[in-house]
Amino acid sequence: MSDWKVTQSPAAGRRPRALSPLREHLRDTFWFAPTAAMVGVFVVWVGAEALDTAIVDALQQERDYEMLGELLRFAEDAKAVVSAVGSAMMTFIGVVFSISLVAVQMASGQFTPRVVRLFVRSRITKATFAVFLSTFVLTLLVLTSFDTVDDPRAVTTVPLVQSVLTLCMVALSLLLFVLYVNATLRLMRISHVIARIASESFRVVASMPVPVGGQEAPVLGAETARVPHEGRAGVLRDVHIARLVRAARKHGVVLRLIPRIGDFVVPGMPVLAVHGGPVPPRRALRYAISVGVERTYHQDLGFGLRQLSDIALRGLSPAVNDPTTAVQALDRIVQFLAALSRRPLDAALHRDRAGAVRLVQPVPGWTELVDLGFTETRGCAIGSPQVSRRMLAGLDDLLLLAPPERREPLLRHRELLRQAVDLAAVTAPDRDFALRPDRQGIG
């Protein structure tokens, strides 16, 4: 049993089930779902072919050649339908692929390149490609099952079940195509993209351990060794928490992750510090550190704020000039910071079943998160009263929610924004208007 509880986020009604790093990485890939679906449809086809063969054998044993003749005539009609379906599926796959490329290009150009990951992780997109490819593979397999023999006494199989299965796959493909177009259009709308980013960020918050009230910070003991990174250079995507906790418990030590999730690491850089005992064998720590080419949501608390800030900056750039998008991003930034306003930060402590701390994982502190959410947007909001008014309202709301010890960075950003607007405003009425808090910006 764990001595930690999880605080529910406003965006979630229940605690999300934590996925292993392997399952998270598979969700970040696009090849796994279609490949698994094609393998699955091959297995289903083998079963359907066996069932068709059993039906023909049973009819031949009963000498019901009239029924077999009817099935052969049905097979001739079904063959034409299956051939047409096979040709149409390739066209459908091309259409879906083209729509995906256009949607990804538009989203990355208008919002931020990092939102492409939302398209890659989209379940409906993967399901559509998987079902379309599976239907195409199934049509090829079914075509190989048609017997060229016209004599009911000599025929070995009639793809009756296989043809019905193909028609069912076609119906499923059409349904998924409609859902796919709807989902793609939603992902091209900035409000839904921002909402998805916020939802993923809240999943990270909900999966983090939170100490039960009254517990003191654990004593780690003296640092005895450091474990260097031996893999390729890249961004620290996540760590296998369960594996590290088991290794630390088995050898009676406490492991401390040195870089934060999202930091860039190179070979030879120390990634783990060992406290209170000898270094666990390398085989116990193998595959516990995952490095990739980009950051992910899995354990990265600040990645959502990074994307929201990028979207706000893109909206405030002279090329786009869309302050309403920046206001929408600020809405979610304030929501995210409000959920963390009274939550312990700086480090996530992972315990074993006995309640002993075995892994210390650094996370961004409150000041760092506030700076990440407001600094860059504040620098570009001077010429946009809509954004400055919304930012002031958000800071005021956070000042009401945050405990006294966490108000300093909020007050600092509020004062810096006021000073910047004072210098940029031409007249006093313009300055007063830009510094009037408004949760809708200018409505």
Side-chain angles (χ1 to χ4, degrees):
M1 295 294 294
S2 173
D3 287 339
W4 300 88
K5 65 181 180 179
V6 175
T7 302
Q8 295 290 345
S9 70
R14 60 183 177 84
R15 176 183 177 180
R17 181 165 55 92
L19 300 181
S20 67
L22 175 61
R23 294 180 64 182
E24 281 288 342
H25 296 172
L26 289 179
R27 287 190 62 189
D28 285 334
T29 62
F30 204 81
W31 62 266
F32 179 75
T35 303
M38 287 187 289
V39 173
V41 81
F42 177 79
V43 174
V44 172
W45 170 78
V46 171
E49 185 184 35
L51 184 57
D52 285 330
T53 302
I55 292 174
V56 172
D57 291 341
L59 292 175
Q60 287 177 342
Q61 289 176 3
E62 295 177 0
R63 298 183 180 277
D64 192 353
Y65 299 118
E66 182 179 354
M67 178 60 70
L68 280 173
E70 293 291 336
L71 292 181
L72 285 174
R73 286 188 289 272
F74 169 81
E76 288 297 324
D77 297 334
K79 185 175 182 179
V81 174
V82 172
S83 300
V85 169
S87 301
M89 277 299 109
M90 288 305 298
T91 304
F92 250 166
I93 292 172
V95 170
V96 173
F97 188 69
S98 300
I99 293 176
S100 297
L101 289 181
V102 172
V104 168
Q105 184 178 11
M106 291 183 61
S108 62
Q110 293 182 2
F111 310 145
T112 170
R114 276 151 291 282
V115 303
V116 174
R117 187 172 178 271
L118 296 178
F119 289 85
V120 176
R121 288 174 64 92
S122 173
R123 290 187 177 92
I124 188 64
T125 303
K126 293 180 181 179
T128 303
F129 272 95
V131 172
F132 278 24
L133 290 173
S134 300
T135 304
F136 177 70
V137 171
L138 180 62
T139 58
L140 298 181
L141 295 173
V142 172
L143 288 174
T144 63
S145 299
F146 285 95
D147 204 328
T148 58
V149 179
D150 295 333
D151 187 1
R153 294 176 177 82
V155 69
T156 58
T157 182
V158 177
L160 174 63
V161 177
Q162 299 172 64
S163 300
V164 174
L165 180 61
T166 302
L167 295 178
C168 292
M169 290 292 291
V170 171
L172 180 60
S173 299
L174 295 175
L175 175 62
L176 283 176
F177 181 72
V178 174
L179 297 177
Y180 164 78
V181 172
N182 178 68
T184 303
L185 292 176
R186 286 170 61 90
L187 285 176
M188 293 174 65
R189 297 168 59 184
I190 185 60
S191 57
H192 292 284
V193 172
I194 291 177
R196 283 286 299 275
I197 293 174
S199 176
E200 293 280 357
S201 301
F202 279 119
R203 287 181 61 87
V204 181
V205 176
S207 63
M208 289 178 56
V210 179
V212 178
Q215 288 189 342
E216 297 181 355
V219 179
L220 302 182
E223 180 180 319
T224 57
R226 290 193 170 190
V227 179
H229 175 56
E230 297 180 346
R232 60 178 179 173
V235 175
L236 181 60
R237 292 163 55 98
D238 50 43
V239 296
H240 201 301
I241 295 174
R243 183 172 297 170
L244 291 175
V245 169
R246 286 196 301 267
R249 178 179 57 84
K250 182 177 180 181
H251 297 87
V253 298
V254 178
L255 297 176
R256 177 173 57 86
L257 187 65
I258 297 176
R260 282 206 311 243
I261 302 298
D263 288 355
F264 192 87
V265 296
V266 299
M269 177 185 295
V271 291
L272 287 172
V274 184
H275 294 262
V279 180
R282 294 297 172 87
R283 64 177 183 275
L285 304 179
R286 187 176 301 170
Y287 308 121
I289 305 294
S290 175
V291 172
V293 296
E294 63 178 352
R295 297 168 67 176
T296 68
Y297 288 104
H298 188 200
Q299 298 170 4
D300 196 338
L301 185 61
F303 188 45
L305 280 179
R306 176 69 273 162
Q307 292 188 83
L308 292 173
S309 179
D310 287 345
I311 292 175
L313 289 174
R314 183 69 62 92
L316 292 174
S317 65
V320 178
N321 194 22
D322 184 11
T324 302
T325 294
V327 169
Q328 290 179 308
L330 282 172
D331 291 340
R332 299 297 181 171
I333 290 174
V334 172
Q335 178 191 12
F336 185 72
L337 292 175
L340 296 175
S341 60
R342 296 183 178 273
R343 189 183 181 98
L345 296 170
D346 296 318
L349 308 179
H350 302 277
R351 299 175 180 266
D352 59 17
R353 294 181 179 179
V357 174
R358 294 300 181 186
L359 175 64
V360 179
Q361 176 185 353
V363 297
W366 172 252
T367 300
E368 294 170 297
L369 292 174
V370 172
D371 291 341
L372 176 58
F374 291 115
T375 300
E376 294 173 316
T377 307
R378 174 176 52 78
C380 298
I382 299 174
S384 177
Q386 181 181 359
V387 179
S388 63
R389 288 158 63 100
R390 177 64 187 100
M391 185 175 293
L392 285 172
L395 290 170
D396 290 345
D397 290 340
L398 291 174
L399 285 169
L400 294 176
L401 297 173
E405 64 273 12
R406 290 189 171 182
R407 292 175 182 171
E408 187 277 330
L410 300 173
L411 293 172
R412 171 167 51 86
H413 280 283
R414 199 182 193 287
E415 179 60 23
L416 290 174
L417 179 61
R418 187 193 64 79
Q419 294 177 6
V421 172
D422 284 343
L423 293 175
V426 179
T427 63
D430 289 338
R431 180 176 61 252
D432 294 339
F433 181 80
L435 293 178
R436 188 181 307 158
D438 187 343
R439 293 189 179 90
Q440 294 186 15
I442 308 182

